[in-house]
Amino acid sequence: MHHKQVKYILWALLALPLTACEDEFIGRDPVYSIDSENYFNTPSDYEKALIGAYDLLQPTYLNVMLGEIASDNTLAGGESATDVIGIQQVDDMIHTPVNDQLDNIWDWMFAGVNRASYILEFQDKIDFPGKEQILAEARFLRAYYNFELVKWFGPIPLKTDARFSLGDETTIPRAPVSEVYAAIEADLLAAIPDLAVTAPQVGRAPRAAAQALLGKAYLYQEEYAAAAEVLQAVINAGNYSLPEDYDGIFEQSGENGPGSIFEVQYTDAEGAGFGCLQCSEGNVAVGFNGIRNYAGPVFDGGFSFNVPTQEAYEAYEPGDARREVAILDIEDWAQQTGATYGTGYEHTGYFNRKYLARKGDSNIGDQNLTNPNNYRAIRYADVLLMAAEALNAIGQDELAREYLNRVRRRAFGDTDHDISASGDALRDFILRERRLELLGEGHRFFDLVRTGRAADAIEGFQTGKHELFPVPFQEIQFSNGNWVQNPGY
């Protein structure tokens, strides 16, 4: 089977329906159309429910795009200063609790948590071979969604191995960040032994995905020794590598390759519409990133959001092959190819090339919403850099440099650009390298925040406020005073 066919939808015609209404927290979701108490009777019921839990990865396109725009890497762009006002406000750090995009991230990630918890709520109903793998994937997914929620919103409600239900918002507190991380760690530690080293199907989580996410959770809490241990377990297992051709890993031919530990699978096999962006089986961000009014080879057009800044372009050293992969210089490209394009709002001349619409997909429905570019959620290079950061923090600079320089040798194609620094200087190089390696992939804002560097890098960032995003206004209202808004909002 061609790997594109193993997208979630196609294991999944029978998946739990994701309706346009599934867009509010707790209980105001329509209850599943399946009689949930009487549902889990066969192995295939568990498989279908698991597909339903994976399905909410596809809407994380918004987390990736908005996280990049919140950082110093890109500007909002679009057509005008009012084009998707919620995105513009996050870019300018003037967002409020009334913001459709932040509302979507909250709702869609909680829908993912709820779907994973649905499986775990009924984990003991029947026994069958392979159940442990399914439960482990459900725990991984719940940890993934909760990690997104804690990064964006800080304290969040938790409910162990049960779905949220109507009324919970007035009684369940927002758990402190430390408790949220403890829940994430517990899910991942339970999942790791039962996850297959090689996932049973392309797109499902292998063991290393849970180990890498656990290492990242430790890193975010500055638990460096624990992070180093679990990240080194991924590296030392030897199941992943850095493909020499950095460019190739972001093309369709490079999907689910040896440098990719976990990818969100997308397909162009179905149409989609603006009425239910979370229903799209395509990568919606790719059309949003696209070149406005583009006519020319290789790429397809789009809405010109998420445009890299001049400063981000200039952050790369001469000879670093990653710059031309991460950032398309449209004037240079037009001169080379005769392509024509329009300029949108905040036009910088640069586009987010890793996740830019390519020619050759089926363009069913609204072609801007159905691009098949997978999101490389956890890359081996990211694991190497996280391990380097953790090792440097516990005084193991020699190995930290080795991991950092593996990433740099691919970027430059030589050893002449190896870093020989130690201590705090080495930490600075590692953090800079994260930006250069991962530009366009949605990590930068959260890296700046967790290292205390956001206020210096992001215009308008207020310390003590903008480390977190506001809980959606209506969630605070629904909670009847149970939940207090994040500081500064």
Side-chain angles (χ1 to χ4, degrees):
M1 185 182 266
H2 185 254
H3 76 261
K4 271 292 181 193
Q5 292 175 301
V6 201
K7 302 286 175 167
Y8 310 125
I9 186 63
L10 297 172
W11 345 321
L13 292 170
L14 302 163
L16 303 171
L18 176 61
T19 67
C21 324
E22 185 168 326
D23 59 3
E24 285 186 337
F25 179 66
I26 324 184
R28 293 176 298 280
D29 278 2
V31 176
Y32 290 120
S33 55
I34 302 152
D35 179 351
S36 52
E37 308 307 312
N38 299 319
Y39 178 58
F40 289 98
N41 301 308
T42 65
S44 104
D45 289 346
Y46 284 85
E47 286 165 12
K48 288 172 201 166
L50 182 63
I51 292 157
Y54 270 99
D55 215 26
L56 271 296
L57 289 171
Q58 291 172 328
T60 60
Y61 79 83
L62 183 56
N63 309 41
V64 177
M65 180 174 71
L66 203 58
E68 200 66 12
I69 288 168
S71 81
D72 55 343
N73 281 347
T74 67
L75 301 176
E79 186 176 24
S80 70
T82 55
D83 191 4
V84 193
I85 194 70
I87 296 177
Q88 305 292 341
Q89 288 171 345
V90 167
D91 183 28
D92 297 335
M93 290 283 127
I94 56 170
H95 48 279
T96 72
V98 180
N99 183 296
D100 289 346
Q101 283 63 48
L102 295 173
D103 195 15
N104 287 339
I105 290 173
W106 173 279
D107 292 336
W108 297 345
M109 294 306 94
F110 270 113
V113 168
N114 237 18
R115 288 187 177 199
S117 293
Y118 179 41
I119 298 164
L120 296 164
E121 185 176 334
F122 292 96
Q123 59 185 294
D124 297 323
K125 194 163 179 207
I126 61 167
D127 278 316
F128 56 92
K131 185 174 84 165
E132 287 72 20
Q133 169 80 26
I134 288 174
L135 298 180
E137 288 179 68
R139 290 194 185 284
F140 166 78
L141 289 168
R142 184 166 64 182
Y144 192 99
Y145 297 127
N146 274 328
F147 186 64
E148 288 300 312
L149 286 164
V150 77
K151 280 189 339 191
W152 284 84
F153 302 106
I156 54 166
L158 294 172
K159 195 169 183 180
T160 311
D161 289 359
R163 288 161 293 166
F164 289 106
S165 56
L166 194 58
D168 283 350
E169 68 275 28
T170 64
T171 57
I172 296 181
R174 291 175 67 199
V177 166
S178 59
E179 285 180 28
V180 180
Y181 275 115
I184 290 167
E185 290 165 18
D187 271 340
L188 293 170
L189 288 165
I192 285 165
D194 289 332
L195 285 171
V197 172
T198 303
Q201 280 169 295
V202 172
R204 292 171 69 177
R207 181 176 299 167
Q211 292 171 308
L213 186 56
L214 180 59
K216 192 172 187 179
Y218 287 141
L219 193 67
Y220 270 58
Q221 298 169 86
E222 302 183 343
E223 293 177 11
Y224 295 116
E229 184 181 3
V230 71
L231 294 166
Q232 283 182 277
V234 175
I235 295 165
N236 294 338
N239 296 320
Y240 300 92
S241 60
L242 296 177
E244 275 180 48
D245 177 19
Y246 185 77
D247 186 13
I249 62 183
F250 297 100
E251 299 300 331
Q252 192 167 335
S253 58
E255 290 185 344
N256 305 303
S260 227
I261 294 173
F262 188 62
E263 294 191 8
V264 177
Q265 309 291 313
Y266 289 105
T267 174
D268 56 357
E270 284 203 347
F274 278 92
C276 187
L277 290 174
Q278 74 272 30
C279 304
S280 177
E281 298 292 333
N283 189 339
V284 173
V286 169
F288 271 77
N289 294 343
I291 308 160
R292 187 163 288 276
N293 302 331
Y294 179 77
V298 182
F299 303 108
D300 255 349
F303 302 132
S304 70
F305 281 87
N306 198 15
V307 290
T309 63
Q310 184 70 32
E311 187 270 331
Y313 186 79
E314 289 171 359
Y316 289 92
E317 299 165 71
D320 189 336
R322 294 173 300 193
R323 186 178 72 180
E324 309 308 319
V325 175
I327 300 176
L328 177 69
D329 179 337
I330 191 63
E331 288 174 34
D332 189 49
W333 178 253
Q335 281 180 339
Q336 286 177 42
T337 63
T340 58
Y341 61 92
T343 59
Y345 178 60
E346 297 182 314
H347 178 72
T348 60
Y350 300 120
F351 290 90
N352 184 347
R353 190 181 170 281
K354 289 176 181 174
Y355 293 104
L356 206 54
R358 308 298 201 262
K359 287 201 176 344
D361 52 284
S362 61
N363 291 339
I364 293 173
D366 187 327
Q367 71 179 62
N368 291 314
L369 305 181
T370 56
N371 283 287
N373 315 48
N374 283 4
Y375 173 56
R376 283 66 167 166
I378 304 174
R379 294 206 284 117
Y380 184 56
D382 188 3
V383 168
L384 287 168
L385 293 172
M386 289 194 291
E389 184 182 336
L391 288 162
N392 163 252
I394 58 174
Q396 296 187 31
D397 282 354
E398 189 175 352
L399 196 50
R401 277 193 296 270
E402 165 61 27
Y403 292 158
L404 168 63
N405 288 329
R406 279 191 208 175
V407 174
R408 286 183 66 78
R409 286 166 195 165
R410 173 172 69 177
F412 290 96
D414 60 37
T415 56
D416 301 344
H417 295 82
D418 282 12
I419 300 296
S420 56
S422 304
D424 288 347
L426 177 57
R427 176 174 165 78
D428 289 342
F429 275 116
I430 292 165
L431 295 175
R432 192 184 75 179
E433 201 67 27
R434 286 189 64 76
R435 183 188 195 187
L436 301 171
E437 177 67 28
L438 301 168
L439 193 127
E441 301 178 50
H443 305 293
R444 172 72 170 169
F445 178 82
F446 302 101
D447 281 341
L448 288 169
V449 167
R450 70 181 176 82
T451 56
R453 299 170 182 225
D456 291 337
I458 300 169
E459 199 176 334
F461 186 98
Q462 293 173 34
T463 303
K465 175 179 181 177
H466 288 131
E467 291 84 357
L468 297 175
F469 291 88
V471 174
F473 173 76
Q474 73 273 24
E475 302 298 338
I476 299 292
Q477 297 297 102
F478 285 134
S479 81
N480 262 350
N482 181 38
W483 297 340
V484 176
Q485 185 53 270
N486 284 335
Y489 296 102

